[in-house]
Amino acid sequence: STSPQWVLDGNAILFTTERYGMRAHASWGSLNDAMLVFMNQDAYDKFRLSKEDYELQKELEKEQKEVTGDKTDDKKKEDKADEKKDEKPKDIVVELKGIQDRILRLTPNSSEMGSAVISKNGETLYYFSAFEDKYDLWKMDLRKKETKLLHKMNTGWANMEMDKEGKNLFLLGSNSMQKMDMGSEKLTPINYQANLKMDLAAEREYMFDHVYKQEQKRFYNVNMHGVNWDAMTAAYRKFLPHINNNYDFAELLSEYLGELNVSHTGGRFRPQTSGNITANLGLLFDWNHSGKGLLIAEVVEKGPFDHARSKVKAGTVMEKIDGQEITPDMDYSKLLNNKAKKKTLVSLYDPQTKERWEEVVLPISNGELNNLLYTRWVKQRAADVDKWSNGRLGYVHIQSMGDPSFRSVYSDILGKYNDREGIVIDTRFNGGGRLHEDIEILFSGEKYLTQVTRGREACDMPSRRWNKPSIMLQCEANYSNAHGTPWVYKHQHIGRLVGMPVPGTMTTVSWETLQDPTLIFGTPITGYRLSDGSYLENTQLEPDVKVANSPETVVKGEDTQLRTAVNELLKEIDKK
């Protein structure tokens, strides 16, 4: 549970929880709900009344006041008004008995929630939720149980604050401020302008001191890996007066933090610059072609030209982009500057049929192309494993140690590879996350039952874990939890490791944005300790079968490590 706040004049606490939401497999990213816990039974009972019953209750209370003689002359009313000015805040009535039974779920469905606020009268919940790409403002009538999209914000995370009178709601964050009148529910921007004069040298010194304190107080190992942190800080501080830009300052932080001999740290500078962004056509070219234009060697699957209406195929020559001829001595990529998702005219030629034609396409960003090329790489590995094992083995690649990768792997091994005799698990080039426990559980199943319907075997038990042999690939580019996951796989005797040694980089990091938001540094705050007192950090993980992919074979499209893993797993299966 997170983000608790007092509401309903102190009679309840509003908070968010992942109790009902879809849980992530990597310890973050769970879906949340807004909840109320009531401090006393009276507030709880009143809140649960329907709209009609609540109005009747208010009428009844009004009549009771009139019956008890609450009618006073004007003088008494004035005296009461004066007394009200000096009235102390009401005490919060807290009844701990049965409080666990006075918890209510407010939101009708779990979502990626942001900030949440309840109106002063307790009848409306306003909350940010990212059902689609970014956050929007939603409204829920708590008595009618009706929910609707109030404002399509399409914004990043923002915080909401309500004024004391409950008349205005302030939306702060995502580089903007807005105010909503809670009567009309109309949004208006809050404009401001501020001039700031900065002593950048003094700011860099402050940020340097902040990094020093954070590492000193939060570093996972209290002995700081044997480094005298005060002495090291003094040694690097002397360079500060000679630095006048963030490129050099980030380099200073990296060198300084590097003295700790640890992963997950260093200084990073991300300048806020803009420039031409070069788009991509999703084509691979034959660079041995010496004539005019570009000879297409492959049309990338699901790229701009991969559709039924296109006649482009391997062997087609691309001659022009938006009417500009592609000559042998030019860099054609400049013709695609700022063309992502913009209609682009491409002139083409088929050397076999001598036909010339034109097609209009929407180029994609380099990030989108990289995703397509990753999918292409995985499909190639899977096809090789299928071919080399004669259909006996399946193949999965864990792209990152996060929730999406786990779901992909889970789907493949219990879906299309369910009838295979073994699985090759590839973790190469994985940058980390937190998935070691889930991978350990998923691949450590041992068959204990078979589910049979009228003599026909339906599935083995456990049915949600892999019960057959597997083998895991690793390489020098594995990092963070992609060191920890193979380590757990080997340590728990699930299977053998094939590939190259992985540096010991198993720590949990806290990445922090400094006062200057273009600068980031890391503090490894959690280490993973073995029973003998040693840590996984800085402990290199050796494979059971050491084999490298040499550049000479890689350029030919040969994956020696993968083929070795297939052979080793088949030998293991055939022995049983």
Side-chain angles (χ1 to χ4, degrees):
S1 299
T2 58
S3 307
Q5 53 181 297
W6 290 104
V7 294
L8 307 182
D9 293 327
N11 286 303
I13 294 174
L14 174 69
F15 64 97
T16 59
T17 180
E18 62 177 14
R19 182 185 305 178
Y20 305 104
M22 181 178 71
R23 302 293 293 273
H25 287 280
S27 304
W28 66 82
S30 302
L31 301 183
N32 291 303
D33 280 281
M35 307 281 288
L36 274 181
V37 54
F38 290 86
M39 298 298 100
N40 53 76
Q41 189 68 35
D42 182 54
Y44 179 65
D45 292 339
K46 286 179 179 178
F47 187 85
R48 291 190 302 155
L49 293 173
S50 67
K51 185 81 173 174
E52 295 77 13
D53 289 344
Y54 181 65
E55 293 300 329
L56 289 173
Q57 177 75 18
K58 286 199 296 185
E59 285 296 321
L60 180 62
E61 289 177 356
K62 183 179 177 181
E63 290 174 6
Q64 287 176 338
K65 283 183 180 179
E66 291 174 352
V67 170
T68 55
D70 201 22
K71 296 176 181 179
T72 56
D73 56 29
D74 292 341
K75 181 68 174 67
K76 287 183 178 179
K77 285 182 180 179
E78 286 175 12
D79 291 342
K80 284 200 170 187
D82 291 336
E83 287 174 15
K84 199 168 185 179
K85 290 178 184 177
D86 301 326
E87 189 179 331
K88 294 181 180 179
K90 293 180 181 178
D91 290 335
I92 296 174
V93 179
V94 179
E95 299 169 358
L96 292 179
K97 184 179 179 181
I99 193 170
Q100 69 275 8
D101 298 321
R102 299 195 298 269
I103 300 174
L104 285 180
R105 179 185 182 184
L106 301 182
T107 42
N109 49 278
S110 305
S111 66
E112 187 177 336
M113 279 191 65
S115 185
V117 166
I118 288 183
S119 61
K120 195 79 171 176
N121 60 12
E123 296 191 9
T124 308
L125 172 72
Y126 298 97
Y127 63 99
F128 275 114
S129 181
F131 281 106
E132 297 173 352
D133 182 33
K134 294 187 177 180
Y135 288 92
D136 301 310
L137 184 57
W138 290 74
K139 171 187 177 180
M140 181 180 182
D141 186 315
L142 294 172
R143 297 207 180 273
K144 293 182 179 179
K145 310 300 181 188
E146 293 176 353
T147 305
K148 71 173 183 177
L149 176 61
L150 185 61
H151 292 291
K152 185 69 180 173
M153 308 288 291
N154 196 31
T155 184
W157 191 93
N159 185 44
M160 287 192 292
E161 296 285 346
M162 186 170 61
D163 62 16
K164 287 184 179 180
E165 293 76 24
K167 294 180 178 179
N168 295 293
L169 193 62
F170 295 92
L171 284 63
L172 313 171
S174 193
N175 299 320
S176 66
M177 296 191 294
Q178 298 182 76
K179 181 174 75 171
M180 188 182 81
D181 183 298
M182 297 185 76
S184 65
E185 294 182 334
K186 181 181 178 182
L187 269 178
T188 55
I190 301 173
N191 298 315
Y192 70 96
Q193 184 176 358
N195 295 318
L196 187 66
K197 187 177 181 180
M198 290 290 296
D199 183 337
L200 297 180
E203 184 186 42
R204 280 190 289 271
E205 186 170 7
Y206 165 79
M207 291 188 292
F208 181 84
D209 287 338
H210 180 74
V211 171
Y212 158 74
K213 292 173 184 176
Q214 288 292 81
E215 297 290 341
Q216 182 188 50
K217 298 295 184 183
R218 304 183 71 201
F219 195 80
Y220 83 94
N221 196 322
V222 291
N223 73 358
M224 303 290 287
H225 279 185
V227 175
N228 185 327
W229 194 229
D230 288 336
M232 194 62 71
T233 302
Y236 277 86
R237 185 184 296 277
K238 64 185 180 184
F239 294 106
L240 277 174
H242 308 284
I243 289 176
N244 65 358
N245 63 85
N246 281 349
Y247 288 99
D248 290 341
F249 185 62
E251 188 66 24
L252 169 68
L253 291 181
S254 291
E255 293 291 330
Y256 169 49
L257 295 167
E259 299 286 357
L260 291 168
N261 189 27
V262 71
S263 63
H264 293 89
T265 190
R268 299 178 181 178
F269 174 46
R270 295 175 178 170
Q272 296 173 342
T273 58
S274 60
N276 290 333
I277 299 174
T278 304
N280 203 288
L281 294 170
L283 299 171
L284 302 181
F285 301 106
D286 182 349
W287 298 112
N288 293 319
H289 176 68
S290 57
K292 287 186 177 181
L294 293 165
L295 178 61
I296 297 169
E298 183 182 336
V299 178
V300 176
E301 187 177 343
K302 294 185 181 178
F305 283 99
D306 183 31
H307 56 80
R309 301 180 307 279
S310 177
K311 296 191 291 184
V312 174
K313 61 183 186 300
T316 301
V317 174
M318 184 171 68
E319 295 187 317
K320 298 176 184 178
I321 296 176
D322 281 336
Q324 295 189 52
E325 189 176 25
I326 300 170
T327 59
D329 58 343
M330 77 180 300
D331 179 1
Y332 84 98
S333 59
K334 66 182 180 182
L335 303 179
L336 294 170
N337 277 348
N338 299 316
K339 292 286 179 70
K341 304 250 186 301
K342 294 178 182 177
K343 290 181 179 179
T344 302
L345 182 68
V346 180
S347 302
L348 301 146
Y349 170 64
D350 188 336
Q352 301 298 319
T353 65
K354 309 301 181 186
E355 178 190 5
R356 280 189 166 85
W357 74 99
E358 293 177 331
E359 294 185 16
V360 176
V361 294
L362 296 175
I364 58 178
S365 68
N366 280 322
E368 290 174 289
L369 177 68
N370 286 338
N371 289 334
L372 296 179
L373 292 178
Y374 167 73
T375 302
R376 172 180 177 268
W377 184 83
V378 171
K379 285 187 175 181
Q380 289 174 341
R381 304 313 98 175
D384 283 342
V385 169
D386 196 62
K387 178 179 65 178
W388 294 334
S389 69
N390 292 318
R392 297 174 63 189
L393 305 180
Y395 168 88
V396 289
H397 182 261
I398 308 176
Q399 185 178 15
S400 69
M401 296 303 170
D403 184 80
S405 290
F406 180 86
R407 293 178 187 276
S408 175
V409 169
Y410 184 93
S411 174
D412 284 350
I413 67 170
L414 299 180
K416 64 181 178 181
Y417 297 135
N418 185 50
D419 61 347
R420 301 293 172 99
E421 298 175 49
I423 288 287
V424 177
I425 312 162
D426 195 347
T427 69
R428 293 175 299 176
F429 312 106
N430 185 311
R434 188 185 172 91
L435 212 58
H436 54 280
E437 289 181 89
D438 296 83
I439 295 299
E440 174 202 355
I441 293 168
L442 184 59
F443 286 99
S444 60
E446 292 186 13
K447 177 180 172 181
Y448 52 75
L449 281 176
T450 300
Q451 186 171 307
V452 180
T453 304
R454 293 183 61 81
R456 184 175 179 178
E457 294 182 0
C459 68
D460 291 332
M461 299 287 179
S463 60
R464 298 176 187 177
R465 295 163 69 185
W466 184 255
N467 302 319
K468 290 173 277 189
S470 62
I471 200 164
M472 184 173 281
L473 277 164
Q474 63 178 45
C475 75
E476 306 93 324
N478 283 39
Y479 188 75
S480 190
N481 197 246
H483 161 235
T485 295
W487 183 89
V488 170
Y489 182 84
K490 180 176 181 176
H491 183 264
Q492 295 297 90
H493 307 291
I494 300 169
R496 292 184 299 156
L497 301 176
V498 174
M500 293 297 285
V502 174
T505 53
M506 180 63 169
T507 46
T508 295
V509 64
S510 170
W511 292 111
E512 185 174 346
T513 301
L514 285 165
Q515 177 170 301
D516 182 333
T518 64
L519 291 162
I520 297 168
F521 79 102
T523 306
I525 58 173
T526 303
Y528 294 83
R529 189 177 63 199
L530 282 68
S531 58
D532 62 4
S534 64
Y535 286 85
L536 293 187
E537 179 70 23
N538 286 339
T539 303
Q540 183 164 290
L541 176 63
E542 296 290 339
D544 297 289
V545 182
K546 188 174 181 179
V547 56
N549 272 353
S550 67
E552 293 79 15
T553 57
V554 169
V555 295
K556 294 178 183 177
E558 298 173 12
D559 194 332
T560 309
Q561 291 174 332
L562 183 63
R563 186 151 202 166
T564 302
V566 168
N567 293 337
E568 290 295 321
L569 184 54
L570 287 175
K571 281 192 274 184
E572 179 184 330
I573 292 171
D574 290 339
K575 282 181 182 177
K576 293 185 177 181

